Amino acid sequence: MYFRLVSLFPFFFFRLLPFIFCLLLLSLISVTITAQVTYQDLLHPNSQDWLTYSGDYSGRRHSRLKQIHAGNVTQLVAQWIFPVPGASRLLVTPVVSNGVMYVTDRNSVYGLDARTGREVWRFSRPLRKDIVSGDAKAGINRGVAILGNTVFFETQDAHLLALHAKNGSLIWETEIADYHQGYGGTMAPLVVKNKVIVGTSGGDEGARGLLDAYDLETGKRLWRFWTIPAPGEPGSETWQGSAIEHGCGAAWLTGTLYPELN
């Protein structure tokens, strides 16, 4: 009996090869999805990745890849299409890390296989019905930031969320500003060292502009910069009448960083 089992082993082994190959492939996919992004990666990104809204901290939005050039650009064809559910329009710049593409819409983040367009995971929550105007109502979200195994994302009602890059599960959530006062969340956050830098939309609704920094691990606000002064603060004397009460100045576009000067 022992001899017969041994003699049959090669037969069963080769029958199992496709299954073993699939397991190995899945393990490779799992490693890809869970591979961490370090701060050094953000400072010196791999040319095959697009780790921030602008590609790197300089904001040049330039890729160093050479596969597409003036001689072959006319030969480009679509490889896959992912229909974003319920989207009215998209202003997102996808972030790509280790073969995973992160795409956003209002209150939704999708983790996609960048080679095939296959949905790996999604995070989504219902839209607020009481937001009646502005970019947040119109369906604008510009994207995510990523560091470690965490994806950072603003919601329609000006909340900052930290999601697990492996499966999209919620790690923490914090309110940036009260959406009842006209604030919305349309900006792609920017990670700098241990901080997530975010602003809000809402200038068209008269909301006072701000920039915030939040702790990566806890979501606790570390500092706030107001883009316009409050009455009585330096610079407020340059405003006439009641205009300063609705001074706007929203910071809704992801900024840049000069690392040497921090």
Side-chain angles (χ1 to χ4, degrees):
M1 178 64 70
Y2 177 79
F3 175 78
R4 290 182 64 188
L5 285 174
V6 172
S7 64
L8 287 173
F9 174 75
F11 171 75
F12 285 114
F13 176 77
F14 286 110
R15 289 291 298 272
L16 288 171
L17 268 179
F19 177 70
I20 294 171
F21 176 76
C22 287
L23 287 178
L24 290 172
L25 184 60
L26 286 173
S27 68
L28 289 174
I29 293 173
S30 176
V31 169
T32 299
I33 294 173
T34 58
Q36 291 197 6
V37 175
T38 68
Y39 184 58
Q40 287 301 311
D41 293 331
L42 297 180
L43 288 171
H44 309 288
N46 187 313
S47 59
Q48 297 185 43
D49 290 330
W50 193 268
L51 298 180
T52 66
Y53 176 77
S54 293
D56 60 27
Y57 282 134
S58 72
R60 290 173 295 180
R61 305 180 69 81
H62 173 72
S63 172
R64 298 189 302 275
L65 295 177
K66 305 298 183 182
Q67 288 94 330
I68 301 173
H69 48 77
N72 66 11
V73 67
T74 59
Q75 302 170 30
L76 293 178
V77 295
Q79 294 297 304
W80 55 261
I81 296 174
F82 177 77
V84 178
S88 57
R89 58 173 174 160
L90 297 175
L91 271 70
V92 57
T93 295
V95 163
V96 180
S97 171
N98 297 297
V100 180
M101 177 181 290
Y102 302 94
V103 176
T104 65
D105 188 28
R106 291 176 300 173
N107 291 3
S108 300
V109 184
Y110 302 88
L112 309 177
D113 184 322
R115 289 187 178 274
T116 66
R118 177 181 65 89
E119 181 180 311
V120 179
W121 58 257
R122 75 168 68 181
F123 173 91
S124 186
R125 62 173 47 168
L127 297 176
R128 287 195 176 274
K129 303 300 184 183
D130 54 346
I131 297 179
V132 297
S133 63
D135 292 343
K137 170 67 175 180
I140 292 176
N141 187 281
R142 294 180 173 83
V144 304
I146 186 170
L147 186 70
N149 282 325
T150 309
V151 174
F152 302 95
F153 166 69
E154 282 193 11
T155 59
Q156 174 196 31
D157 53 356
H159 285 213
L160 177 62
L161 276 57
L163 307 176
H164 201 295
K166 179 179 180 180
N167 55 28
S169 59
L170 180 65
I171 301 172
W172 54 255
E173 177 175 357
T174 189
E175 182 184 73
I176 303 170
D178 186 354
Y179 76 94
H180 294 98
Q181 298 176 8
Y183 288 100
T186 64
M187 174 185 176
L190 185 70
V191 172
V192 179
K193 295 183 178 178
N194 67 330
K195 299 178 179 66
V196 188
I197 312 297
V198 296
T200 64
S201 63
D204 294 345
E205 285 66 56
R208 184 186 179 195
L210 59 88
L211 275 174
D212 281 355
Y214 293 88
D215 182 87
L216 287 170
E217 300 295 330
T218 66
K220 177 183 177 182
R221 194 173 81 197
L222 301 176
W223 53 254
R224 168 164 289 180
F225 172 78
W226 293 102
T227 62
I228 66 168
E233 292 181 350
S236 62
E237 70 280 359
T238 66
W239 292 72
Q240 298 181 2
S242 61
I244 198 171
E245 296 175 8
H246 302 284
C248 309
W252 48 263
L253 190 63
T254 308
T256 59
L257 174 72
Y258 192 50
E260 289 77 7
L261 296 179
N262 197 32

